Amino acid sequence: HFKRVWRHKFARSIPKLGKESTRTATQFLTGHCELNYHINKYKPTTVPKTCPHCLMEEETMNHFIGQCPKWSYQRGGYFDSFYLSVSTIFISCTVYWKYLKLIS
């Protein structure tokens, strides 16, 4: 779901970003990022899928961006809510770029 929402709303904006932000946005878009869920595909015996911050759920992009308690304070400051769906987070492109800069 995350990839479809992201592609539909933001893929055309990627070329306008700087080099590092483009790299980060592309990783978010494809899911090929340094989160345990993705790394586990290549190192299943050494890297668990579980989020290292909360140890409660798999560390997917959806969990990392919208649900992990570790980042709830930052989400609350930017979105006035501590736990959100990815769709809710990416409704406003302006808000998205602020969040991207925060975690880059």
Side-chain angles (χ1 to χ4, degrees), residues 30-100:
T30 63
H32 296 114
C33 51
E34 295 182 23
L35 295 177
N36 283 354
Y37 183 81
H38 179 69
I39 296 171
N40 176 269
K41 293 177 182 180
Y42 303 99
K43 299 178 181 182
T45 58
T46 58
V47 178
K49 292 180 181 180
T50 307
C51 176
H53 304 293
C54 69
L55 303 174
M56 297 188 309
E57 295 183 34
E58 292 180 345
E59 190 185 31
T60 62
M61 188 57 64
N62 288 333
H63 172 74
F64 178 75
I65 291 176
Q67 301 298 314
C68 185
K70 166 81 175 182
W71 310 111
S72 64
Y73 181 76
Q74 286 87 348
R75 280 190 301 271
Y78 281 97
F79 306 112
D80 296 325
S81 182
F82 296 105
Y83 297 97
L84 302 161
S85 70
V86 173
S87 299
T88 303
I89 289 173
F90 292 119
I91 287 173
S92 167
C93 190
T94 303
V95 173
Y96 167 74
W97 299 129
K98 284 183 185 178
Y99 194 66
L100 181 63

Side-chain angles (χ1 to χ4, degrees), residues 17-30:
L17 300 173
K19 184 177 179 180
E20 280 301 309
S21 294
T22 297
R23 178 179 170 267
T24 303
T26 302
Q27 289 176 346
F28 285 178
L29 175 61
T30 63

